[in-house]
Amino acid sequence: MTLVSVKNLSVKYGAHTVLRHVALAVQPGEIVTIVGPNGSGKTSLLRAIIGATRPAAGEITLKPGLRVGYVPQKLHIDPTLPITVERFMTLTDRVPRGACHAALARAGVPDLLKRQMSQLSGGQFQRVLLARALINQPDILLLDEATQGLDQRGSAAFYRQIETVCRETGCAVLMISHELHVVMSASDRVICLNGHVCCEGSPAVVASAPEYRALFGTGTGGALALYRHDHDHSHDHDHDHGPSAHEAAE
Amino acid sequence: MLDDFMTRATLAGIGVAIAAAPLGCFVVWRRMAYFGDATAHAAILGVALSLAFQMSIFIGAMAVALIMAMTVTLLAGRGYAMDTLLGVLAHSSLAFGLVAVSFLSGIRIDLMAYLFGDILAVSRLDLAVIWGGAALVVALIAWRWSALLTSTLSDELAYASGRDPRREQLILTLSLAVTVAVAIKVVGVLLIAAMLVIPAAAARGLARTPEAMAVTAGVIGAVSAAAGLRAAYVFDTPAGPSIVCVAAVLFAALNLVGWRSQRGA
């Protein structure tokens, strides 16, 4: 049964339309990544799914009783707010301490239970956010650029962790990322967004789609994604597309 | 026991401290200190209107404080920076309030009593209103505690867990208006924000969880109220400002101790 189904969704901020006629569906156990340039409406789409933004048109259907684990893009905890990892994790759901331990271990950071949130490193912090989202055994994880502030190795490890957790628990994932080269290998399906769904399909299909190249041909993210794609599949293309990406950037 | 004015004053001060503690923590965490200030300043306009229309000062002050807080919430993010907006609204409502009071020629009112409080004149009815208001604020905040904390950390996190952060904001706004209204008699409109912010800030270094910080802030506030009143009696100083002075001294002392123990560690 479909976990999340979005049909004909439009989102407006004032007179400005950020999303138009967007449709997508996530099935159980599936890892779906949304990619798109800045201002393409990725975050608006996720906000609409969690109910933080009211759609101007269209409908969003969640499976009845769906348990959602949400990992925000960034979480600013004011330094005046003392809070331990344990308290933070049990803020929205009352769960026994054992479940906190288990979720932290799943997310790769056991033993942080008694630490102050303000003392965590960037990587630990993101993993605690992941653990908090996992604590209620969600059917789907929603991640909004969850690796901001991590270096490339850190975010690669973070996405590997998510992939491992989800393959183990059967939890579906819908995530936004700008780090295409890191994320694509873990995804079952990629949706390329730019106000509307430009193209959609397996990572390999999307990476070679002309719509995708038109969007990402100019940025570094695009160059890296092309690099990864070409590197994996055919070295001839390197010479065709590598320089063209460079030219476009200039 | 309630016949003694010092006893009534002390109980009034403790009542306000208890309401101000959990609310003050949110004011500090959400960086709403100036917002609290603006709401409190607006209350003087409420006092003037209450006197003009001969209604309860508590109701008038609370209504105007609530209108002020809602106006700020509505205007936020529409053109002006928040601190500019609050600066305009806080001081203009204070000014309008002071001017409005001057029109009340028939009644001679002691403006100082509303600006700096008149805690030694707290009656049994005032005491009932203060403790009733404090109980309401504490109950509201305790009831919504988790949701308030979640939406303080992140709007999205609140939405994703099925809570509406705008509703939580409204609950804080309402609590703020009630606290302002009950605190006017105790510390006056100019020092209400101090009772919100100083005990909470002083409690920060002593607490490891949000709950502990709220309780510690309550204790610090209550101690400040009792000690401040005692000092006012002994040294013949104004009561409201003396309470705030004690809170400020506690804040400084606790920070100094924390700073020294950190350096020692």
Side-chain angles (χ1 to χ4, degrees):
Chain A
M1 184 177 178
T2 307
L3 300 178
V4 174
S5 154
V6 174
K7 284 179 191 139
N8 197 28
L9 175 74
S10 296
V11 172
K12 288 182 182 178
Y13 292 128
H16 180 59
T17 305
V18 286
L19 288 174
R20 222 162 318 110
H21 310 304
V22 172
L24 71 89
V26 183
Q27 308 301 329
E30 199 180 24
I31 300 184
V32 180
T33 303
I34 301 169
V35 301
N38 286 339
S40 60
K42 301 178 302 253
T43 295
S44 300
L45 176 57
L46 217 57
R47 279 178 60 90
I49 292 175
I50 62 170
T53 298
R54 195 185 291 271
E59 67 180 76
I60 297 164
T61 321
L62 306 182
K63 189 186 100 172
L66 185 77
R67 286 192 305 266
V68 175
Y70 178 73
V71 183
Q73 181 177 96
K74 57 182 186 309
L75 190 78
H76 173 74
I77 297 188
D78 199 88
T80 57
L81 173 51
I83 189 164
T84 58
V85 169
E86 180 177 19
R87 186 69 192 94
F88 174 72
M89 289 187 58
T90 53
L91 210 52
T92 49
D93 300 291
R94 275 173 197 227
V95 285
R97 182 173 289 184
C100 281
H101 259 303
L104 283 171
R106 262 252 131 84
V109 280
D111 314 321
L112 288 185
L113 215 53
K114 295 289 169 202
R115 291 275 289 278
Q116 285 284 311
M117 290 295 287
S118 55
Q119 292 169 346
L120 302 181
S121 71
Q124 285 172 331
F125 197 97
Q126 289 309 118
R127 277 157 199 272
V128 169
L129 288 182
L130 176 63
R132 194 205 66 88
L134 288 172
I135 202 161
N136 235 1
Q137 285 126 22
D139 306 305
I140 185 167
L141 271 183
L142 300 176
L143 296 100
D144 184 2
E145 304 226 18
T147 57
Q148 276 202 342
L150 299 189
D151 60 16
Q152 236 186 61
R153 269 182 59 187
S155 57
F158 186 76
Y159 285 119
R160 268 201 306 279
Q161 190 89 40
I162 288 171
E163 196 185 356
T164 313
V165 168
C166 292
R167 300 294 184 217
E168 274 171 25
T169 58
C171 171
V173 178
L174 179 62
M175 61 183 169
I176 292 175
S177 182
H178 60 280
E179 293 164 300
L180 312 167
H181 54 293
V182 178
V183 156
M184 277 188 151
S185 64
S187 308
D188 297 318
R189 200 145 56 82
V190 175
I191 295 170
C192 177
L193 194 73
N194 190 24
H196 59 282
V197 175
C198 297
C199 56
E200 181 177 0
S202 68
V205 167
V206 168
S208 57
E211 294 92 340
Y212 174 84
R213 299 205 161 187
L215 277 180
F216 288 102
T218 56
T220 8
L224 282 165
L226 288 172
Y227 166 74
R228 189 209 161 271
H229 169 67
D230 293 337
H231 186 79
D232 265 8
H233 298 283
S234 148
H235 283 276
D236 292 342
H237 284 287
D238 242 1
H239 303 292
D240 281 352
H241 296 283
S244 75
H246 263 289
E247 277 163 27
E250 285 153 15
Chain B
M1 179 185 99
L2 291 179
D3 290 339
D4 177 23
F5 75 96
M6 275 304 276
T7 311
R8 287 199 302 271
T10 309
L11 286 175
I14 292 173
V16 167
I18 289 173
L23 182 62
C25 287
F26 282 105
V27 167
V28 168
W29 296 333
R30 296 167 79 111
R31 306 195 170 189
M32 289 165 55
Y34 212 12
F35 182 80
D37 221 21
T39 309
H41 287 182
I44 198 76
L45 187 58
V47 169
L49 293 175
S50 315
L51 291 171
F53 295 104
Q54 300 191 331
M55 39 180 226
S56 145
I57 286 176
F58 174 75
I59 302 288
M62 192 173 77
V64 174
L66 195 59
I67 292 169
M68 177 69 175
M70 305 272 239
T71 309
V72 173
T73 311
L74 280 178
L75 289 179
R78 298 197 184 168
Y80 291 103
M82 192 65 173
D83 62 340
T84 307
L85 194 63
L86 287 169
V88 171
L89 288 173
H91 299 110
S92 49
S93 60
L94 182 62
F96 274 108
L98 295 174
V99 169
V101 168
S102 76
F103 277 118
L104 301 170
S105 53
I107 320 156
R108 268 184 53 88
I109 64 160
D110 181 8
L111 199 56
M112 290 294 275
Y114 298 105
L115 290 178
F116 296 106
D118 194 8
I119 191 171
L120 298 180
V122 164
S123 66
R124 281 161 183 260
L125 178 66
D126 290 333
L127 202 55
V129 168
I130 288 169
W131 276 87
L136 177 70
V137 168
V138 170
L140 259 179
I141 292 182
W143 171 49
R144 302 305 303 167
W145 183 260
S146 288
L148 282 168
L149 262 180
T150 308
S151 59
T152 296
L153 289 172
S154 144
D155 274 3
E156 276 87 9
L157 221 55
Y159 277 118
S161 64
R163 294 169 166 117
D164 188 344
R166 285 168 305 181
R167 193 174 71 167
E168 311 310 333
Q169 170 75 46
L170 197 63
I171 285 176
L172 282 184
T173 304
L174 187 66
S175 307
L176 190 61
V178 174
T179 307
V180 164
V182 300
I184 287 182
K185 191 93 188 179
V186 175
V187 284
V189 294
L190 292 182
L191 293 175
I192 289 171
M195 279 308 278
L196 287 169
V197 172
I198 299 176
R204 169 63 185 96
L206 302 175
R208 286 181 53 80
T209 61
E211 292 78 14
M213 180 161 153
V215 171
T216 312
V219 172
I220 293 173
V223 168
S224 308
L229 276 171
R230 185 77 206 143
Y233 184 78
V234 173
F235 301 112
D236 192 22
T237 49
S242 302
I243 293 175
V244 174
C245 287
V246 173
V249 169
L250 285 176
F251 170 81
L254 287 170
N255 267 291
L256 214 60
V257 169
W259 181 65
R260 283 193 55 147
S261 67
Q262 252 173 30
R263 284 201 5 157

